[in-house]
């Protein structure tokens, strides 16, 4: 999975200006069972229980949207979870966030995660072998196995973001554009 890293680090992008009282979280993906969007509600419950201020932005559409809207209202999260639907270019939203929450357990390397990392946004992801390919804990994100350990990982991820004053890329070296292109060149042009 490749991302255009030159756009991610473009100086014209909206810069992160953290609010110390609110952790801004983004979820990007289809609202389908495969992406586990109901964990957004569990995340919000865990943060509320720990008295952690938060705002969750959800970018995506899918058949679970109406159920997710119902749960947001049921648990009185109207003011802290917003569903924005499909956004063609989510870069400006990503750049305002403290972390990307990616609860899916059924995919390989997430493009949304790579784009967030390229923009300096840490990721909170499920502990799977695929996610271990691009996340190194305490460097560019954290893993979770259950919702019980998630609130401390949210605050730790936000800390990573806030320490990254220059919005530098958090991609691991093996995901840097130059290395990937060099690898492809060697494969294609080797006799």
């Amino acid at each position: 999975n490749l991302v255009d890293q030159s756009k991610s680090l473009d100086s014209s992008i909206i810069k992160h200006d953290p609010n110390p009282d609110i952790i801004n979280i983004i979820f990007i993906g289809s609202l389908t069972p495969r992406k586990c969007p109901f964990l957004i509600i569990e995340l919000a419950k865990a943060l509320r229980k720990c008295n952690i201020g938060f705002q969750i932005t959800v970018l995506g559409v899918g058949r679970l949207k109406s159920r997710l809207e119902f749960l947001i209202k049921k648990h009185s999260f109207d003011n802290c979870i917003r569903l924005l639907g499909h956004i063609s270019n989510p870069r400006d939203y990503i750049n305002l966030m403290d972390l990307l929450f990616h609860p899916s357990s059924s995919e390989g390397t997430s493009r949304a995660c790579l784009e967030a990392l390229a923009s300096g946004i840490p990721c909170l992801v499920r502990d799977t072998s695929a996610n271990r390919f691009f996340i190194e804990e305490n460097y560019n994100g954290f893993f979770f196995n259950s919702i019980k350990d998630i609130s401390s990982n949210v605050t730790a991820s936000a800390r990573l973001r806030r320490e990254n004053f220059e919005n530098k890329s958090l991609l691991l070296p093996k995901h840097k554009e130059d290395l990937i292109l060099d690898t492809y060149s060697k494969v294609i042009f080797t006799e």
Side-chain angles (χ1 to χ4, degrees):
N1 227 336
L2 294 171
V3 294
D4 185 348
Q5 294 172 32
S6 63
K7 286 185 181 176
S8 298
L9 301 173
D10 186 344
S11 61
S12 68
I13 61 174
I14 297 171
K15 296 297 183 192
H16 181 254
D17 186 18
N19 176 341
D21 300 323
I22 301 288
I23 296 177
N24 289 294
I25 302 164
I26 193 164
F27 170 96
I28 301 173
S30 60
L31 303 180
T32 58
R34 187 171 75 93
K35 298 289 187 173
C36 306
F38 296 141
L39 282 180
I40 295 166
I41 301 298
E42 298 307 313
L43 169 63
K45 287 181 190 176
L47 294 174
R48 181 185 278 169
K49 185 176 181 180
C50 293
N51 293 317
I52 297 171
F54 66 93
Q55 176 73 45
I56 301 174
T57 301
V58 178
L59 304 183
V61 294
R63 64 186 173 101
L64 299 179
K65 181 183 178 193
S66 60
R67 178 73 179 151
L68 189 57
E69 288 172 329
F70 169 79
L71 291 171
I72 289 169
K73 288 186 188 323
K74 177 183 176 184
H75 295 288
S76 302
F77 289 131
D78 304 82
N79 293 330
C80 49
I81 300 178
R82 57 189 184 151
L83 303 178
L84 299 184
H86 174 75
I87 303 291
S88 295
N89 184 358
R91 191 173 313 277
D92 288 343
Y93 290 97
I94 292 172
N95 288 316
L96 293 172
M97 299 297 142
D98 292 303
L99 70 111
L100 182 139
F101 178 56
H102 184 70
S104 176
S105 62
S106 64
E107 63 185 287
T109 304
S110 163
R111 183 173 182 82
C113 287
L114 292 180
E115 288 179 355
L117 293 171
S119 294
I121 314 301
C123 297
L124 178 56
V125 299
R126 192 182 297 269
D127 191 0
T128 65
S129 57
N131 289 339
R132 287 196 171 276
F133 185 67
F134 62 88
I135 294 293
E136 182 180 310
E137 283 200 310
N138 291 304
Y139 172 72
N140 63 0
F142 291 89
F143 300 106
F144 72 92
N145 288 307
S146 73
I147 214 69
K148 293 175 186 171
D149 58 325
I150 209 163
S151 56
S152 61
N153 287 340
V154 165
T155 55
S157 294
R159 177 187 42 78
L160 286 178
R161 171 65 165 145
R162 293 168 185 197
E163 290 173 355
N164 186 9
F165 300 114
E166 299 170 3
N167 296 331
K168 68 176 183 160
S169 172
L170 294 175
L171 286 169
L172 296 176
K174 63 185 165 191
H175 291 291
K176 300 287 183 175
E177 199 169 76
D178 293 342
L179 180 63
I180 293 170
L181 293 175
D182 185 51
T183 302
Y184 278 132
S185 294
K186 287 177 182 173
V187 169
I188 293 169
F189 299 112
T190 301
E191 297 181 332

